[in-house]
Amino acid sequence: MSRTPNFDLPMLFAAQAQKELTHNEALVVIDALLGGCIEGVASDPGTVDAEQGRAWVVGPSPSGIWADRESHIAISTAGGWRFAPPLESMRIYDRADCGMRRFDGSEWLGAEAIADPAGGAVVDAEARTVLTALLAALREFGLVAAT
């Protein structure tokens, strides 16, 4: 069966029987990826809530049906687990960490924490107030990890 080059979705072919199965399988994966959100990172499918439509990044040393799928996005469906390969520069929101993750081509990276301004020989109260507010906004949107 032919597959799409980016997310490995099944493609229909001429005179294919039961086209709706192939089409529906692709729609389930697309539905999960369009949301741009995962529940977290896990390596064992037995430790996650496999409610239909939820997705996880497969962590290091995966086991069970997730074996050999490290860094893939695992999507729970009525028909079992479906997997989408990550693409370099892909971004996804991690609900467990309340932050964004980016795939660098080999691993998923989370946002780094940045401390609020403190110390220094000269204290500029207005600048610190603005920087603190800016950092709070970035943390709220998951672009910078909480300290």
Side-chain angles (χ1 to χ4, degrees):
M1 175 184 293
S2 295
R3 313 287 291 191
T4 62
N6 289 323
F7 289 115
D8 198 34
L9 301 172
M11 295 187 53
L12 300 176
F13 56 91
Q16 176 180 340
Q18 299 182 327
K19 286 180 171 74
E20 67 277 2
L21 297 177
T22 301
H23 178 74
N24 289 342
E25 181 179 328
L27 286 178
V28 168
V29 174
I30 291 168
D31 181 63
L33 294 175
L34 278 178
C37 188
I38 58 163
E39 301 301 319
V41 178
S43 295
D44 181 359
T47 63
V48 301
D49 176 11
E51 184 178 327
Q52 186 174 343
R54 293 192 179 195
W56 288 263
V57 164
V58 178
S61 303
S63 63
I65 197 165
W66 288 8
D68 299 324
R69 300 288 188 156
E70 185 173 337
S71 296
H72 280 64
I73 299 171
I75 303 154
S76 177
T77 72
W81 291 101
R82 302 292 179 258
F83 300 92
L87 302 174
E88 189 170 351
S89 299
M90 183 178 191
R91 295 175 190 279
I92 198 157
Y93 183 77
D94 184 337
R95 287 184 177 155
D97 286 347
C98 298
M100 296 299 293
R101 290 188 173 275
R102 180 181 57 83
F103 189 70
D104 71 353
S106 62
E107 66 179 319
W108 288 94
L109 304 172
E112 293 187 27
I114 300 174
D116 288 336
V122 177
V123 176
D124 183 338
E126 290 83 14
R128 283 190 182 190
T129 300
V130 169
L131 286 173
T132 301
L134 176 62
L135 287 170
L138 292 172
R139 289 179 187 126
E140 181 179 347
F141 287 101
L143 299 174
V144 173
T147 54

